[in-house]
Amino acid sequence: MCKIRITNHQIFALTVGLTNGSAILVISASVAGLAKQDSWISMLFTIVFGFLEIWLICFLWNHYPGLTFVEMIRQIFGKWFGSVITIAFLYFCFLSDAQVIWYIGNFITSQAMLETPPYIVNMIFSATIVIALLYGLEAIARSYEIFIYIISFLFVLSMIFVLPNARIENLQPVFEEGLIPVLKGSTLLSSFVIFPFVLLIMIFPAKADNTFKAMKSFVKGYLWGGFLLFTSILISVLVLGSTITANIQYPVFVLAQEINLANIFTRLEFIVAGVWIITVLTKGIFYFYAGLIGLAQLIELKDHKKIILPLGLIIFVMSGVVFPDATYQSAWDSLVWPFFAATFGLILPIVMAAGFYIKKWVFNRHKG
């Protein structure tokens, strides 16, 4: 596993995919429900707040070089207590992966293939993730070097095509209900966009050629991914208005249906759907890979590929029962997920950074 190396450009591409992930299609409606016409400001706050998470990740990269997140946990908290935290982190990874697959299945069966059972779609995408990981992380990273240009071009082009339908009055009045709704929207966005960055520590810097250059690529990928997400939220409100955006499940998909240039360029919403599926698969692969490697390190398994298939079957089954329906999923995303994601994506890294300084202080005091 340690012989795998990821280039800086591949880090950039994977970070863009992880930053967008399920957020482009899934979370826009919930944010609009909280911040209304100020949703785009919530995204700006999220981008700024994300630099705290980036600093935490880079701090751990610098002070625990060559280690994955699970190895850092066990080194900081000790073998036994660290193993308990690792098990909780693995649960977070596998449950989140099942949610990602559910999102794909629900989207396809509700928007395109209405008579197809969701478990069929879930099975296809579970198999896609399993096959991708059997080919290996390097193959995945190389493919996303190509995908990132395709999805960026198609998504930006779609947003440009829909701009003629934009109305600036949909953004007014600014801060109508004050700062609190904007911060709530930013917190929700952070749980989907920022907190999952902790998964990157399962790959970098242990498999990066140069830690400093990897950090620069990470930041660039975050900024570009944040720009794409900011664009999708801003244009959704400009074109559809905050009320419609909040009341439909997939506003960016509906947004793309508004494209009509001279009755030639129409029905381009599945370009957006394709972009979303590629990026959400990135997040699904990251969650699965993080849980896979973490489990292999926990049980001291040398070849992690031996457990890919059984874990894939477990995730497939979980994806069918993780959410009973879309109403439950919406409530979970708004009320539970931000705290669940923050526990592992923000609080745990902060505690680990504090633990480093505490250990350093105890060591220096004992030495003195």
Side-chain angles (χ1 to χ4, degrees):
M1 290 189 292
C2 292
K3 293 181 179 179
I4 298 175
R5 284 292 177 265
I6 305 298
T7 68
N8 297 322
H9 188 264
Q10 290 167 352
I11 292 174
F12 167 82
L14 292 171
T15 303
V16 174
L18 183 62
T19 302
N20 287 274
S22 54
I24 281 185
L25 236 60
V26 173
I27 204 60
S28 301
S30 298
V31 175
L34 292 170
K36 297 184 172 54
Q37 66 269 20
D38 294 328
S39 300
W40 62 279
I41 303 177
S42 293
M43 187 59 214
L44 289 179
F45 280 20
T46 301
I47 292 174
V48 174
F49 175 71
F51 284 100
L52 170 60
E53 182 80 7
I54 290 174
W55 181 87
L56 282 170
I57 290 175
C58 292
F59 177 89
L60 295 174
W61 283 7
N62 281 324
H63 291 87
Y64 298 95
L67 299 183
T68 66
F69 191 56
V70 166
E71 291 171 331
M72 293 176 190
I73 290 173
R74 301 186 77 187
Q75 182 168 323
I76 293 171
F77 296 104
K79 181 178 179 181
W80 298 109
F81 187 54
S83 296
V84 173
I85 297 176
T86 297
I87 291 172
F89 174 69
L90 297 181
Y91 174 74
F92 165 73
C93 292
F94 293 133
L95 180 66
S96 301
D97 194 43
Q99 293 174 15
V100 167
I101 295 172
W102 186 94
Y103 289 140
I104 300 175
N106 180 71
F107 170 74
I108 291 179
T109 55
S110 64
Q111 302 297 320
M113 304 169 66
L114 304 182
E115 297 182 2
T116 302
Y119 71 86
I120 296 294
V121 180
N122 293 357
M123 180 177 63
I124 292 172
F125 283 95
S126 297
T128 301
I129 293 174
V130 166
I131 292 170
L133 289 172
L134 285 172
Y135 273 101
L137 186 62
E138 287 181 315
I140 295 168
R142 285 195 295 269
S143 67
Y144 271 89
E145 280 191 287
I146 301 172
F147 287 151
I148 193 60
Y149 292 112
I150 298 174
I151 64 177
S152 295
F153 173 75
L154 292 177
F155 184 78
V156 172
L157 188 64
S158 299
M159 295 299 101
I160 291 173
F161 281 169
V162 83
L163 271 179
N165 298 320
R167 292 183 297 170
I168 193 66
E169 56 267 26
N170 285 336
L171 299 181
Q172 300 169 344
V174 178
F175 286 117
E176 181 182 19
E177 297 185 15
L179 186 61
I180 299 301
V182 174
L183 293 177
K184 288 181 178 179
S186 180
T187 301
L188 181 61
L189 275 168
S190 296
S191 67
F192 281 87
V193 179
I194 306 300
F195 299 154
F197 281 160
V198 71
L199 302 174
L200 292 170
I201 314 180
M202 291 302 297
I203 300 176
F204 323 129
K207 294 174 175 59
D209 291 323
N210 183 292
T211 301
F212 177 74
K213 291 182 178 180
M215 290 177 187
K216 291 178 63 178
S217 298
F218 171 38
V219 173
K220 290 177 182 178
Y222 165 65
L223 290 174
W224 179 245
F227 168 75
L228 294 179
L229 188 54
F230 168 76
T231 302
S232 70
I233 294 175
L234 176 64
I235 296 183
S236 293
V237 177
L238 279 170
V239 175
L240 301 176
S242 60
T243 302
I244 296 177
T245 301
N247 290 327
I248 53 181
Q249 191 172 10
Y250 301 108
V252 180
F253 182 74
V254 174
L255 176 69
Q257 293 177 340
E258 298 293 320
I259 298 174
N260 187 350
L261 295 180
N263 292 321
I264 299 176
F265 295 101
T266 61
R267 305 297 298 175
L268 300 181
E269 60 269 22
F270 282 98
I271 291 179
V272 174
V275 168
W276 177 73
I277 288 173
I278 293 174
T279 56
V280 80
L281 270 177
T282 310
K283 185 165 284 189
I285 290 170
F286 264 101
Y287 278 125
F288 195 109
Y289 182 83
L292 171 70
I293 298 300
L295 180 59
Q297 291 175 343
L298 179 65
I299 63 178
E300 299 181 358
L301 183 66
K302 293 183 178 179
D303 186 5
H304 65 274
K305 289 189 176 182
K306 292 181 179 180
I307 57 175
I308 290 179
L309 184 56
L311 284 177
L313 292 172
I314 293 172
I315 295 299
F316 164 61
V317 174
M318 289 176 63
S319 69
V321 298
V322 65
F323 295 133
D325 50 49
T327 303
Y328 183 96
Q329 169 259 320
S330 180
W332 167 274
D333 287 347
S334 300
L335 303 175
V336 180
W337 173 255
F339 301 99
F340 188 46
T343 300
F344 297 96
L346 180 64
I347 297 174
L348 182 56
I350 289 175
V351 172
M352 291 170 67
F356 170 83
Y357 283 115
I358 291 171
K359 276 192 170 185
K360 184 178 179 180
W361 177 77
V362 170
F363 176 78
N364 290 336
R365 186 174 181 182
H366 178 74
K367 186 177 179 180

